[in-house]
Amino acid sequence: MQYGIRLREENDMTFSEFCTLLTGIMPKTPLGQIVSIRAEEDKDMLKNFTKEQHEIRNEWRNRNNPIEEMTEEEKAQKAKEFQEIMSKMFGGA
């Protein structure tokens, strides 16, 4: 516990204050370690990752980019759905 607080017990913390604390999280904390693993781009560092570290990183990256797992047909369907939504929103036919 880097800051000596429990978020569940903080009833009046503003979101701004939370963001400030989060950006200052040290890499040696459990959360800091996960963030470091997810953000790593250095190929030499990645070569030294354990299987578990690769799983953490890959799970995060796949979760953030579901398009990579979509077929071309699924992508085309989603694009069509998006176009229809935009058309309805902005009065197009």
Side-chain angles (χ1 to χ4, degrees):
M1 264 190 354
Q2 176 178 333
Y3 295 112
I5 61 172
R6 303 277 307 169
L7 287 176
R8 290 186 182 141
E9 296 172 8
E10 294 297 318
N11 296 324
D12 61 347
M13 181 181 294
T14 65
F15 184 69
S16 176
E17 183 178 1
F18 170 77
C19 289
T20 299
L21 294 175
L22 187 59
T23 58
I25 199 92
M26 294 170 61
K28 296 295 181 189
T29 64
L31 178 59
Q33 290 173 352
I34 296 295
V35 170
S36 295
I37 291 168
R38 289 176 174 175
E40 188 58 63
E41 296 290 339
D42 185 325
K43 291 184 189 291
D44 292 329
M45 290 292 290
L46 293 172
K47 288 178 188 176
N48 296 314
F49 267 20
T50 65
K51 179 183 175 190
E52 291 79 17
Q53 288 172 314
H54 279 293
E55 287 174 2
I56 291 168
R57 185 173 182 270
N58 292 337
E59 181 180 304
W60 174 255
R61 291 181 180 263
N62 289 338
R63 185 181 74 77
N64 282 333
N65 194 1
I67 292 172
E68 288 181 1
E69 297 179 12
M70 294 172 76
T71 65
E72 291 302 315
E73 293 80 21
E74 290 171 325
K75 290 176 186 177
Q77 179 61 35
K78 292 296 180 185
K80 182 179 177 184
E81 291 171 9
F82 179 72
Q83 289 171 343
E84 290 171 358
I85 291 168
M86 290 294 112
S87 179
K88 289 178 183 175
M89 284 178 62
F90 297 105

